[in-house]
Amino acid sequence: MLRNAIAVIKILTFITLLFTSFKSFSASVMALDYGYSKIDYEPMSAKNVTPMGPGFGVSIGTRNGLVGTEFYYRNLTASGDYIHDSVTGQFEHKQSSFGAGVQVYLTKQLFLRFGYGFSRIEQTNQTLQESYRNQQIASTYGLIDKSTGSGPNYGIGYNFFDGKRWDVFALFNRDHIYDGATEMRVSVGIKFYFKLGLRSAFTK
Amino acid sequence: MHLPNKLLALFLVSFIGFGCVKDPIPTTSSFPVSAGDIVIANETSDAVYLLDSDGNLKSVVYNHINTENASGVTYANGKIYLTVDGVDRILAYDIYTSEVTTAIQHPQLSGTLRGLTVLSNGDMLIIESNNMERFNSSFERVTAGGWPKTNIMSTPTHVNNLSDGGFVACSTGTKEIRLYDEDGNQTASASSPGAGATNPYDCIELSDGRIAAVWNGTADTVVIYSSDLSSVELSYSDTSVIGDPRSIAQAANGNLLIADYTLDLLVELTTGGTYVRTLGDTVLNNASTVIVIPSGI
């Protein structure tokens, strides 16, 4: 209950920040990125099982000088090897995440980001054996079966060219995706800046 | 910071984050039953117990109603099969889920049920009175090829499979141990190894192919035969240690486990005839059949 309340407070804080930013923004931003993620999920990582794999993300937002905002969607498919009852197998981790965040620019190009997101996760065993053994594997590794988690995320990013119309950026991000699970992600992408902002759109 | 340095920094961050992946730590299943566990039928308590390899009670596999008798036990393919003499039937205990189901209940299986085994081809043999019934792997009664074997012996007690596809059976009425091929043709036999060794209650094939048996009588005796029963290679008798042997099994460590019906315990002997210890003496109640769960489950 307390955890949910804290989550709601965080979401409200972000929404407030976003609207504060909208009041005086100067540009809208759309970004596409492609990255590589590593999943640390306690029941798995305790046995050195760490699903890793590629994923893509899209986001839209605003930037006003040293402050930016974003709404994002990310998709990820990762895999990790395990050894159970002397059989080597593989887990698949599928994840779709969405959320919102703010970016704080330390320089024109270097920024920190903080956000809060929701992740839909499905972990499956790709190396099926007898049903009773599959149940043991699912239990031992705490496989998440189509469940949704949420949590804060934070990262550090860099816009390589300080472009006015577009830029290439790199982002290192850490995301709390589920109870006991975090995603560490390195990605590169391209972002486009539009002079027409949301405020203008609303007033026209 | 120049672009190459930026890319180098990105590479460095990636390496720190993703480069240190260790090999997975192997895990194992934790099922209710493990290799090396001992399963033992207790005639008086009408219950089948699961003990660990040191004889400590792990669970009750099945507790029959008081008018039914747990007479035979065998293991095959993830199941512990039990003969129930009462409303005659064969129960299957799933070692992975602990679920108990009825595997066989047949109108022709209505006599006195004792031992049972599963042959290497998957067929199940069940002792019924003086007969040997056979059911295929789909639990359909076999009525071809001379099956069932009526009057195979007088009061056969236990039957156990052989690695060559056949089986070994023993009888307290005929008072013999007999080897059979997979079709049920007798290939060898052995009678009492000596005075006072009267009733062969149980006989099994050891991991080295030899045959071990327990003979009950005034001189309770454990015997190890050659694989064709042609010679006695070990004879152990000490009535202060074993007083009423009814069943024998080979433990995971290779030693022999002898179920004593009267002393309510298991006696562990080496295959060289050396006493090791007793097990299960706090829980057994007229132990009549003992088996050991094999490796590789």
Side-chain angles (χ1 to χ4, degrees):
Chain A
M1 196 68 179
L2 179 63
R3 182 179 295 172
N4 290 339
I6 294 171
V8 170
I9 291 170
K10 289 174 179 173
I11 292 168
L12 292 175
T13 303
F14 278 119
I15 291 173
T16 304
L17 281 170
L18 288 173
F19 277 99
T20 303
S21 177
F22 286 161
K23 284 183 177 179
S24 56
F25 69 87
S26 60
S28 295
V29 183
M30 186 179 77
L32 304 171
D33 69 86
Y34 188 83
Y36 201 75
S37 294
K38 175 182 175 182
I39 305 299
D40 276 312
Y41 176 45
E42 173 57 30
M44 290 187 181
S45 56
K47 293 114 188 165
N48 289 351
V49 177
T50 49
M52 293 193 290
F56 69 90
V58 296
S59 67
I60 58 170
T62 64
R63 180 175 175 182
N64 174 29
L66 297 180
V67 178
T69 63
E70 64 177 29
F71 293 96
Y72 65 84
Y73 170 81
R74 290 203 297 267
N75 199 295
L76 163 69
T77 299
S79 62
D81 290 341
Y82 67 87
I83 301 173
H84 186 84
D85 288 346
S86 302
V87 174
T88 299
Q90 192 175 68
F91 294 127
E92 183 179 77
H93 172 103
K94 285 187 173 180
Q95 178 186 326
S96 298
S97 303
F98 66 92
V102 294
Q103 297 165 355
V104 178
Y105 280 81
L106 304 178
T107 68
K108 283 186 176 181
Q109 293 166 281
L110 181 67
F111 63 90
L112 302 176
R113 67 169 300 283
F114 306 92
Y116 195 87
F118 298 84
S119 296
R120 180 74 170 169
I121 298 169
E122 180 181 11
Q123 294 177 331
T124 53
N125 177 13
Q126 299 294 293
T127 312
L128 293 177
Q129 303 179 54
E130 303 92 338
S131 59
Y132 51 82
R133 211 176 299 277
N134 293 335
Q135 291 173 7
Q136 285 279 320
I137 292 169
S139 171
T140 302
Y141 291 91
L143 294 187
I144 301 168
D145 182 21
K146 294 178 182 173
S147 194
T148 301
S150 64
N153 51 66
Y154 55 90
I156 182 168
Y158 193 83
N159 296 329
F160 285 96
F161 303 115
D162 190 24
K164 303 300 180 190
R165 303 284 300 272
W166 63 275
D167 210 335
V168 174
F169 69 97
L171 182 66
F172 177 78
N173 202 63
R174 189 172 178 84
D175 197 338
H176 180 94
I177 54 173
Y178 196 82
D179 190 19
T182 57
E183 174 195 358
M184 187 169 61
R185 183 165 177 265
V186 173
S187 59
V188 293
I190 186 167
K191 56 175 68 172
F192 301 95
Y193 297 100
F194 302 91
K195 288 184 178 177
L196 185 63
L198 287 176
R199 187 181 182 192
S200 301
F202 291 142
T203 55
K204 281 187 176 178
Chain B
M1 194 160 58
H2 298 295
L3 187 59
N5 291 341
K6 297 166 189 170
L7 291 173
L8 185 63
L10 179 64
F11 177 79
L12 187 61
V13 168
S14 303
F15 180 79
I16 293 170
F18 297 93
C20 306
V21 178
K22 300 174 184 174
D23 290 334
I25 298 171
T27 56
T28 55
S29 297
S30 177
F31 296 120
V33 179
S34 305
D37 282 355
I38 300 165
V39 184
I40 189 156
N42 294 270
E43 195 166 299
T44 296
S45 59
D46 304 319
V48 179
Y49 293 159
L50 178 69
L51 314 180
D52 67 17
S53 57
D54 289 319
N56 302 305
L57 181 66
K58 290 179 73 174
S59 65
V60 176
V61 171
Y62 195 74
N63 195 0
H64 297 283
I65 61 174
N66 202 33
T67 55
E68 294 187 324
N69 185 22
S71 47
V73 180
T74 194
Y75 170 84
N77 305 319
K79 301 274 198 311
I80 297 170
Y81 293 99
L82 319 171
T83 54
V84 180
D85 192 46
V87 178
D88 293 343
R89 60 197 187 279
I90 307 301
L91 298 179
Y93 172 93
D94 191 310
I95 68 164
Y96 305 113
T97 64
S98 299
E99 183 183 11
V100 177
T101 55
T102 299
I104 300 172
Q105 189 166 7
H106 194 281
Q108 299 296 324
L109 198 67
S110 57
T112 301
L113 302 188
R114 300 189 193 92
L116 79 167
T117 194
V118 177
L119 302 180
S120 53
N121 70 353
D123 287 4
M124 178 179 287
L125 303 183
I126 305 162
I127 294 171
E128 184 218 36
S129 301
N130 293 334
N131 311 319
M132 188 78 76
E133 289 281 351
R134 184 168 186 150
F135 290 77
N136 65 21
S137 56
S138 301
F139 301 129
E140 296 162 338
R141 187 169 181 251
V142 176
T143 56
W147 293 91
K149 299 289 183 186
T150 55
N151 295 314
I152 189 169
M153 283 193 280
S154 173
T155 320
T157 48
H158 283 292
V159 57
N160 286 295
N161 57 21
L162 298 172
S163 55
D164 66 1
F167 59 95
V168 56
C170 40
S171 156
T172 57
T174 307
K175 302 185 189 308
E176 281 188 355
I177 297 167
R178 292 179 179 176
L179 301 182
Y180 296 86
D181 66 17
E182 60 186 5
D183 296 322
N185 303 308
Q186 183 182 331
T187 58
S189 67
S191 53
S192 173
T198 311
N199 297 312
Y201 266 95
D202 197 3
C203 42
I204 60 168
E205 181 185 48
L206 300 178
S207 57
D208 61 7
R210 294 186 294 169
I211 305 297
V214 285
W215 288 80
N216 193 301
T218 56
D220 300 310
T221 307
V222 178
V223 180
I224 295 179
Y225 299 92
S226 59
S227 60
D228 59 359
L229 297 179
S230 61
S231 61
V232 173
E233 300 190 354
L234 174 80
S235 180
Y236 174 92
S237 181
D238 185 342
T239 53
S240 67
V241 175
I242 300 173
D244 191 359
R246 295 294 181 94
S247 187
I248 185 170
Q250 188 169 29
N253 63 7
N255 287 343
L256 303 176
L257 297 175
I258 295 94
D260 194 302
Y261 187 85
T262 302
L263 298 178
D264 293 328
L265 47 75
L266 294 170
V267 177
E268 181 174 344
L269 302 177
T270 68
T271 53
T274 302
Y275 169 83
V276 178
R277 59 176 174 167
T278 59
L279 299 87
D281 53 353
T282 59
V283 295
L284 303 187
N285 193 352
N286 295 142
S288 56
T289 308
V290 60
I291 65 167
V292 172
I293 302 299
S295 60
I297 64 171

